Amino acid sequence: PGAIRFRAGEASALPASVSPRRRWWHGGDSAAPRGGGAKKAVLFFEVEILDAKTREKLCFLDKVEPQATIAEIKNLFTKTHPQWYPARQSLRLEPKGRSLKDEDVLQSLPVGTTATFYFRDLGAQISWVTVFLTEYAGPLLIYLLFYFRVPFLYGPRYDFTASRHAVVHLACACHSFHYIKRLLETLFVHRFSHGTMPLRNIFKNCTYYWGFAAWMAYYINHPLYTPPAYGDEQVKLALAVFLFCQLGNFSIHVALRNLRPAGSKTRKIPYPTRNPFTWLFLLVSCPNYTYEVGSWIGFTIMTQCLPVALFSLVGFVQMAIWAQGKHRSYLREFRDYPPLRSPIVPFLL
């Protein structure tokens, strides 16, 4: 007596007129409601989770609700394997397929009688906020160490001395402004679609940001540093480019934040707003990267320093790769995505 459990593939045994997900039990049952009422049958799924590499069965979950999300299945999996908390898990329909999204619903997936998922361990995870704060605080502090010429950097007679060139002080102000802005955006502006990233990435990212910051700061604040070839005019032009792009970058970040309500993972096509800095959305998919590259080009012109130019070039290559990936994702997800947009450089790239 009571509810009857059907596997996902057993619905065909009932009349076609009966909904495959809501079955009614027709028969005598002393516990049935009075007045000829019928009892609702309950449809459950069985879920097995296999190792994507070895195909070893790691977990079997019985009586999983059809409305269960991948996030809920991950939580159930964690109960049997506590070492793999949900953020470490990647569940896929194929061993080498794409990771399923946490919000995907079990009954909407193309699974059979027993839903089979393949598990990959993503490794130890760390929050994006922690990663960004660590990445950006390092360059800010490292640059200031060279700017104030702390001992053991340039020789005893230069300890705690100041450069006589105004551009050196301006460069320190711009560099510090950039990373303070990034820190504040991380805390108060950005909304992350994924809460964590692999822990190993923080070491790679910090090596990149911290290493380049030290290399740039060493030469710009060096006692033998010489100002740009075209003097104040070059510095003023570069400062204008830098500030313009910094404002543009901030404007895009705010526009992207407003597209996603707090606590959601909603994805929408970004469009220009009343803010003129966002009009670049008409031409590129990732104008935040365009403005970011522009800022570092301005800083390169301002300091006329080779390490800064190399940092700008490497940053552009990396951001172009990210922009192309996001652009492809937009095209795949939205059929009405504006066709004139390029990933990062209007009409070129």
Side-chain angles (χ1 to χ4, degrees):
I4 301 177
R5 182 172 67 81
F6 293 90
R7 291 189 179 185
E10 293 177 351
S12 59
L14 293 174
S17 60
V18 183
S19 169
R21 292 200 177 108
R22 287 192 176 182
R23 303 296 184 183
W24 297 90
W25 183 78
H26 306 280
D29 188 346
S30 59
R34 293 181 180 180
K39 269 215 162 184
K40 185 188 299 183
V42 180
L43 172 70
F44 291 109
F45 282 72
E46 293 178 343
V47 175
E48 62 177 3
I49 299 178
L50 310 182
D51 187 287
K53 294 181 179 179
T54 65
R55 308 297 193 273
E56 175 190 357
K57 182 180 289 187
L58 300 175
C59 179
F60 181 82
L61 304 174
D62 193 16
K63 295 184 179 180
V64 180
E65 295 285 347
Q67 294 82 16
T69 63
I70 293 299
E72 292 170 337
I73 293 175
K74 288 181 178 180
N75 288 326
L76 294 173
F77 183 41
T78 299
K79 292 181 180 179
T80 60
H81 296 81
Q83 73 275 24
W84 292 321
Y85 46 90
R88 289 189 67 147
Q89 300 175 30
S90 170
L91 296 183
R92 313 163 184 216
L93 293 175
E94 299 292 338
K96 296 183 179 180
R98 289 179 173 272
S99 295
L100 296 169
K101 298 178 181 178
D102 284 350
E103 58 269 24
D104 287 340
V105 178
L106 178 59
Q107 67 180 1
S108 65
L109 297 174
V111 294
T113 303
T114 299
T116 300
F117 296 117
Y118 295 90
F119 162 78
R120 281 186 179 272
D121 182 11
L122 298 177
Q125 300 288 299
I126 187 172
S127 75
W128 278 89
V129 173
T130 302
V131 172
F132 278 9
L133 293 179
T134 306
E135 287 178 2
Y136 303 152
L140 176 64
L141 297 176
I142 289 172
Y143 195 100
L144 291 176
L145 293 177
F146 286 90
Y147 174 73
F148 290 111
R149 293 177 178 174
V150 298
F152 308 108
L153 291 179
Y154 299 114
R157 68 191 181 112
Y158 295 112
D159 291 350
F160 299 111
T161 60
S163 174
R164 67 181 187 276
H165 303 300
V167 67
V168 172
H169 307 297
L170 180 61
C172 180
C174 289
H175 189 275
S176 299
F177 172 80
H178 173 75
Y179 282 103
I180 290 173
K181 166 183 162 293
R182 281 194 166 190
L183 290 169
L184 293 176
E185 286 176 341
T186 299
L187 293 173
F188 303 110
V189 177
H190 292 319
R191 286 175 177 161
F192 302 99
S193 57
H194 300 286
T196 63
M197 68 185 300
L199 177 62
R200 60 182 178 273
N201 285 3
I202 195 173
F203 302 104
K204 176 183 65 177
N205 295 2
C206 286
T207 298
Y208 168 73
Y209 282 107
W210 295 17
F212 264 114
W215 193 23
M216 292 188 295
Y218 176 81
Y219 282 98
I220 296 173
N221 297 286
H222 198 284
L224 301 180
Y225 171 79
T226 55
Y230 294 96
D232 290 344
E233 296 302 319
Q234 179 175 336
V235 172
K236 291 177 182 177
L237 173 63
L239 178 62
V241 172
F242 178 84
L243 293 177
F244 178 85
C245 291
Q246 286 289 293
L247 289 173
N249 180 264
F250 174 75
S251 298
I252 298 301
H253 287 162
V254 172
L256 292 174
R257 169 194 168 87
N258 293 336
L259 282 180
R260 177 176 293 158
S264 75
K265 295 184 179 181
T266 303
R267 283 174 58 85
K268 301 178 183 178
I269 299 176
Y271 286 104
T273 66
R274 294 180 179 179
N275 183 342
F277 286 105
T278 66
W279 295 351
L280 195 54
F281 270 125
L282 294 171
L283 301 176
V284 296
S285 295
C286 301
N288 51 322
Y289 294 153
T290 309
Y291 283 124
E292 178 79 7
V293 173
S295 294
W296 286 109
I297 290 175
F299 196 71
T300 301
I301 297 171
M302 179 190 301
T303 58
Q304 197 170 304
C305 183
L306 180 60
V308 181
L310 292 176
F311 178 70
S312 302
L313 177 61
V314 174
F316 170 71
V317 171
Q318 180 61 75
M319 282 183 274
I321 294 172
W322 290 338
Q324 288 175 327
K326 290 187 177 182
H327 182 73
R328 287 192 296 267
S329 179
Y330 282 137
L331 292 174
R332 186 168 53 247
E333 188 170 354
F334 303 106
R335 293 184 178 180
D336 57 341
Y337 192 72
L340 294 180
R341 293 187 188 180
S342 302
I344 186 172
V345 181
F347 310 115
L348 296 177
L349 180 64

